[in-house]
Amino acid sequence: MLSFLVSALVICHNGPMADPAPLTARARARAEITGEIKATARRHIAESGATALSLRAVARDLGMVSSALYRYFPSRDALLTALIVDAFDAVGEVAEKADRSESSGDAGDRWRAVGHAVRRWALDNPHEYALVYGSPVPGYVAPPDTIEPASRITTVLMTVLSAIAEESIQRVLPEPPASTAAELAAIAPDLPPAQTALGMAAWAQMFGAISLELFGHLESVVYDRDAFFDHLLTLAILEFRSSP
Amino acid sequence: MLSFLVSALVICHNGPMADPAPLTARARARAEITGEIKATARRHIAESGATALSLRAVARDLGMVSSALYRYFPSRDALLTALIVDAFDAVGEVAEKADRSESSGDAGDRWRAVGHAVRRWALDNPHEYALVYGSPVPGYVAPPDTIEPASRITTVLMTVLSAIAEESIQRVLPEPPASTAAELAAIAPDLPPAQTALGMAAWAQMFGAISLELFGHLESVVYDRDAFFDHLLTLAILEFRSSP
DNA sequence: AAGAAACGAGAGCACCGCTCTTGACAAGGG
DNA sequence: CCCTTGTCAAGAGCGGTGCTCTCGTTTCTT
């Protein structure tokens, strides 16, 4: 199964090797197989959801035996965590790309573009979205590895929020309570806490709307979901910049 | 185990029975046991979450054998569905009670009271909240039984929304797109669609905020969650009534 | 009182996550 | 060059799961 890999490695070792990281054949094979495991697991999740993910089924698809998977992931939870990290990264990348593609427009358009991009990704990968923003598995505690990829999208939203604050007339906003103001000042020092609070409200609204739609709570209520979501974004953007 | 039930029934049958529905001993026992099954299942879920719910464990706790449970619920999914319906009902009741207790105040206070009550219930019953508003189990499709209990809380929110619309000066709101306007007019005929859209935005924000908090996305971001959530409600209420 | 319906118990099936052991193979030092 | 060491896939096996079927027993209905 891995013979082609091994032979490829031999060639690499014999010929001129520009790779700065001299990966041994085993290390290469290991990375390759780890990727294949994650890929098929992701495929299974896309079809049947996270709770139905079975190590044995993944192993069967890969032509190996279930116990062999434990060489690569110490437990089912570990595999799920790896997929969660990847999903966080994917949604972060989608948001960044949408922001960049709209960076010439005004900040409101950037927020709208990011919102639509995130929703589009969620609709295209519902089970992965559920993995990240749905209810976590009962005993699951987010390992530290997830914190960094999770911050990618919030960074994008914060950036857009700053841009909005810069380009539009500052609106008179209600001051958050002292504790909240201090906490928001800690995570966004260059923004007035009232503005950051408004951004988090918009964040909650955005993910709330996507979750409501994806988890079936808009069924027989709203049908043209594209238009509805766009209007919600309009309301949020309007609230950002409408002067009192 | 059920002997006390049987004897109680005998007494009921012999003595004066005012029950308008002449339940047989079997029917009474069935209702009783069904309730016990749901209660222990709810307890298990409160401790370990829905995905860890095991019919065999529930049966063990009740001193019966797993196959006996199938006399009451045709499948694990059916039991879960019953619990979902109960959870919908519970959150609906909490919302109604909060609304009633604040019905003397102005409409903004009512919205705030409902919001805090729902969040409080979610924090007290996180796994049940996840059951209802978290990611549904992969193959799960909401049966028609869930629609009616699910509408309880939305009805409360709609009522409060109407009250807000009545008592405060109508704000100039952006008109939703035609399709959205038509759909919102269908579910709330006596409200301008723009106002209903604002209500749904606030709804999404409320559940988004609760979900973000409950599912760990506010970790190391916001610590005084009570104050933060209250401020979010303040922003929503303000948006309801602030004139442009 | 007799037949029908509902019930609890038990055995059994296929599947799951996970552990342990075994034998094959590559990597690197003597 | 061989030989030790570490890594790997495979297999058997354990306890657990949802679910089905059968078999006596109990309860309701007629």
Side-chain angles (χ1 to χ4, degrees):
Chain A
M1 173 181 53
L2 298 173
S3 52
F4 74 97
L5 256 177
V6 175
S7 54
L9 172 88
V10 170
I11 294 173
C12 280
H13 261 276
N14 289 354
M17 182 64 173
D19 192 355
L23 286 179
T24 127
R26 237 210 276 271
R28 283 180 55 94
R30 182 173 185 84
E32 180 85 12
I33 294 182
T34 303
E36 287 183 13
I37 292 173
K38 287 207 290 185
T40 58
R42 200 169 3 247
R43 224 183 51 235
H44 283 204
I45 282 187
E47 286 174 8
S48 328
T51 73
L53 177 66
S54 150
L55 290 187
R56 294 179 114 112
V58 171
R60 265 195 303 272
D61 263 28
L62 261 59
M64 8 188 214
V65 103
S66 71
S67 60
L69 284 192
Y70 287 84
R71 297 269 176 203
Y72 299 90
F73 296 95
S75 72
R76 180 178 176 275
D77 251 30
L79 175 56
L80 268 179
T81 299
L83 294 178
I84 289 178
V85 170
D86 286 2
F88 264 123
D89 227 52
V91 66
E93 184 176 327
V94 159
E96 287 172 9
K97 189 185 295 182
D99 181 29
R100 274 197 304 271
S101 79
E102 201 69 26
S103 63
S104 56
D106 74 2
D109 288 343
R110 285 169 67 187
W111 185 275
R112 188 187 304 272
V114 171
H116 279 302
V118 171
R119 171 168 174 271
R120 177 48 46 197
W121 181 87
L123 290 179
D124 289 342
N125 311 277
H127 284 117
E128 288 191 71
Y129 177 87
L131 206 60
V132 171
Y133 290 103
S135 39
V137 225
Y140 185 79
V141 283
D145 326 6
T146 63
I147 294 182
E148 189 265 332
S151 68
R152 246 175 109 171
I153 179 160
T154 57
T155 301
V156 171
L157 293 179
M158 279 295 181
T159 308
V160 179
L161 189 63
S162 302
I164 292 177
E166 281 180 18
E167 86 176 21
S168 64
I169 307 113
Q170 203 70 357
R171 177 183 164 200
V172 175
L173 289 170
E175 212 51 41
S179 58
T180 304
E183 291 162 11
L184 296 183
I187 60 173
D190 51 343
L191 264 135
Q195 186 85 10
T196 309
L198 200 59
M200 298 210 54
W203 181 39
Q205 174 184 318
M206 189 168 118
F207 281 102
I210 295 177
S211 294
L212 285 179
E213 171 177 1
L214 223 60
F215 299 159
H217 294 275
L218 258 42
E219 219 69 45
S220 36
V221 177
V222 174
Y223 298 90
D224 189 348
R225 312 266 165 79
D226 289 352
F228 176 72
F229 188 76
D230 188 70
H231 185 62
L232 253 49
L233 287 178
T234 300
L235 289 177
I237 295 168
L238 202 83
E239 194 180 8
F240 278 143
R241 55 169 53 136
S242 79
S243 46
Chain B
M1 174 184 53
L2 300 174
S3 51
F4 73 95
L5 255 177
V6 175
S7 52
L9 172 89
V10 170
I11 294 172
C12 280
H13 261 276
N14 289 354
M17 182 67 174
D19 194 353
L23 286 179
T24 94
R26 225 205 281 265
R28 283 181 56 93
R30 183 174 183 82
E32 181 84 10
I33 295 182
T34 304
E36 287 182 13
I37 293 173
K38 287 207 290 186
T40 54
R42 201 169 3 246
R43 224 183 52 235
H44 283 204
I45 282 186
E47 287 173 6
S48 327
T51 72
L53 177 67
S54 151
L55 289 189
R56 293 178 113 112
V58 171
R60 267 196 302 272
D61 263 27
L62 262 57
M64 4 188 217
V65 104
S66 72
S67 60
L69 284 192
Y70 287 84
R71 299 276 180 199
Y72 300 89
F73 296 95
S75 73
R76 181 178 176 276
D77 251 29
L79 175 56
L80 269 179
T81 299
L83 295 177
I84 289 178
V85 170
D86 286 2
F88 264 123
D89 226 52
V91 67
E93 185 178 325
V94 159
E96 287 172 8
K97 190 186 292 182
D99 182 28
R100 273 197 305 271
S101 79
E102 202 70 26
S103 64
S104 56
D106 74 3
D109 290 341
R110 286 168 67 186
W111 184 274
R112 188 186 304 272
V114 171
H116 279 301
V118 171
R119 172 168 172 272
R120 178 46 50 195
W121 182 88
L123 291 179
D124 289 342
N125 311 276
H127 283 119
E128 288 190 71
Y129 177 87
L131 206 58
V132 171
Y133 290 102
S135 39
V137 223
Y140 186 79
V141 282
D145 326 6
T146 63
I147 295 182
E148 190 265 332
S151 69
R152 245 175 110 172
I153 179 159
T154 56
T155 301
V156 172
L157 293 179
M158 278 297 181
T159 307
V160 179
L161 189 63
S162 302
I164 292 178
E166 281 179 17
E167 87 176 19
S168 64
I169 308 113
Q170 202 70 356
R171 180 182 161 199
V172 175
L173 290 168
E175 212 53 40
S179 58
T180 303
E183 291 162 10
L184 296 183
I187 61 173
D190 52 344
L191 241 63
Q195 185 85 9
T196 309
L198 201 59
M200 298 210 55
W203 180 41
Q205 175 183 319
M206 189 168 116
F207 281 102
I210 295 177
S211 294
L212 285 178
E213 172 178 2
L214 223 61
F215 299 159
H217 294 276
L218 257 41
E219 220 67 46
S220 32
V221 177
V222 174
Y223 299 90
D224 189 348
R225 312 265 164 79
D226 289 352
F228 176 72
F229 188 76
D230 187 70
H231 184 63
L232 253 50
L233 287 178
T234 301
L235 288 177
I237 295 168
L238 202 81
E239 195 180 6
F240 278 143
R241 56 169 52 137
S242 80
S243 46

